[in-house]
Amino acid sequence: MATTLAIDCGGGGIKASVLDAAGTMRARPLRVPTPYPLPPALFVKTLVELGGRLPAADRVTVGMPGMIRHGVVVATPHYVTRSGPRSRVDPELVAEWSGYDARGALTDAFGVPALVLNDAEVHGAGVVAGTGCELVLTLGTGLGSALFDGGVLAPHLELSHAPVRWGTTYDTYVGEPERRRLGDAFWSRRIRQVVDGLRPVFRWDRLYLGGGNSRLIRPEQLARMGDDVVVVPNTAGIVGGVRAWELLGDRRPTP
């Protein structure tokens, strides 16, 4: 039975564990702060060192922020900055990350097959039921999103960079800095407003709210969102590392 090293890469921290074929953790999750500045070579080195502290695995799943297509980085918002999310962008890092074959680099570095997806997509793989239209929104440093139709992962859209109001993106509107500024009560109201605004766009059968901040949504606001909106554990970002291999449709990497 194959084991999977699942790595959840965020703007503030990188978490990892090893899972069995059923998605059960075989080791206690480890976490390290995300180092900055973070060129691709340091990214790979950090992941390999973290994985080296866990039991050996047969394959690797990595979820990272940004637009990832077929394991290649189109854009990653946090990792091109000098000192972390919302700090100054470094043009040299933009050039290094643009078109970077993360899947190829990690396959070589670990010596086993690797799968690299947007972090919200891996998170979603851990929670979707596999029937109907299911949208996953992750609430953390910013806003992540993933869409599944009948359990098949749809092409990724960077919803977080779309304007929501007054020239403000979703990332800024509901991200961690705004939650701290507003407090949980007013921030929770914003989350409900975002959900209400997106409902006619996606017409989902089920919406899952995940990420580290989803647990901070006030119960009264969650209740007003409807029965088709569910808060899911942040551990899905790791647990989804196994099921992600099954939900790719025709985009599964070749051995």
Side-chain angles (χ1 to χ4, degrees), residues 18-66:
V18 172
L19 314 171
D20 63 17
T24 303
M25 292 188 190
R26 304 300 292 269
R28 184 173 181 174
L30 301 179
R31 183 187 187 278
V32 296
T34 304
Y36 290 101
L38 185 59
L42 179 57
F43 174 76
V44 172
K45 180 175 181 289
T46 301
L47 268 56
V48 170
E49 289 180 349
L50 183 60
R53 296 165 53 191
L54 291 163
D58 300 307
R59 62 188 185 184
V60 180
T61 304
V62 174
M64 61 179 292

Side-chain angles (χ1 to χ4, degrees), residues 128-135 148-152 204-206 208 243:
V128 295
T131 57
C133 179
E134 298 175 281
L135 178 65
F148 295 81
D149 181 21
V152 177
W204 56 70
D205 294 298
R206 184 65 59 87
Y208 302 93
R243 198 164 176 230

Side-chain angles (χ1 to χ4, degrees), residues 18 28 41 49 57 70 160 189 234:
V18 172
R28 184 173 181 174
E49 289 180 349
H70 309 288
S160 61
R189 186 180 302 173
N234 193 34

Side-chain angles (χ1 to χ4, degrees), residues 18-251:
V18 172
L19 314 171
D20 63 17
T24 303
M25 292 188 190
R26 304 300 292 269
R28 184 173 181 174
L30 301 179
R31 183 187 187 278
V32 296
T34 304
Y36 290 101
L38 185 59
L42 179 57
F43 174 76
V44 172
K45 180 175 181 289
T46 301
L47 268 56
V48 170
E49 289 180 349
L50 183 60
R53 296 165 53 191
L54 291 163
D58 300 307
R59 62 188 185 184
V60 180
T61 304
V62 174
M64 61 179 292
M67 176 71 78
I68 316 296
R69 289 186 181 142
H70 309 288
V72 175
V73 178
V74 177
T76 181
H78 306 318
Y79 298 166
V80 297
T81 60
R82 297 181 189 274
S83 56
R86 295 181 175 83
S87 65
R88 186 183 297 273
V89 171
D90 185 334
E92 292 186 4
L93 288 175
V94 173
E96 286 192 59
W97 277 107
S98 180
Y100 180 69
D101 184 3
R103 186 174 72 194
L106 290 167
T107 297
D108 292 342
F110 281 101
V112 295
L115 179 63
V116 181
L117 298 168
N118 173 272
D119 52 350
E121 294 176 338
V122 179
H123 196 105
V127 299
V128 295
T131 57
C133 179
E134 298 175 281
L135 178 65
V136 180
L137 297 178
T138 56
L139 306 169
T141 303
L143 176 72
S145 64
L147 184 65
F148 295 81
D149 181 21
V152 177
L153 178 61
H156 184 65
L157 300 176
E158 278 290 73
L159 176 64
S160 61
H161 292 173
V164 58
R165 59 186 303 183
W166 305 317
T168 301
T169 65
Y170 283 96
D171 226 14
T172 301
Y173 192 60
V174 297
E176 173 63 6
E178 276 295 273
R179 187 196 66 80
R180 291 182 178 179
R181 186 182 73 85
L182 294 171
D184 289 345
F186 284 101
W187 174 81
S188 296
R189 186 180 302 173
R190 277 198 178 181
I191 297 300
R192 178 176 58 81
Q193 292 170 346
V194 167
V195 168
D196 289 345
L198 293 178
R199 184 181 294 277
V201 176
F202 289 94
R203 297 288 182 178
W204 56 70
D205 294 298
R206 184 65 59 87
L207 168 64
Y208 302 93
L209 299 176
N213 285 346
S214 61
R215 60 185 176 82
L216 302 176
I217 299 173
R218 291 294 180 88
E220 65 273 15
Q221 296 299 335
L222 183 62
R224 295 180 65 182
M225 293 181 202
D227 294 337
D228 57 350
V229 181
V230 181
V231 171
V232 294
N234 193 34
T235 52
I238 293 179
V239 175
V242 172
R243 198 164 176 230
W245 289 77
E246 305 169 10
L247 301 181
L248 289 177
D250 62 356
R251 289 185 285 157

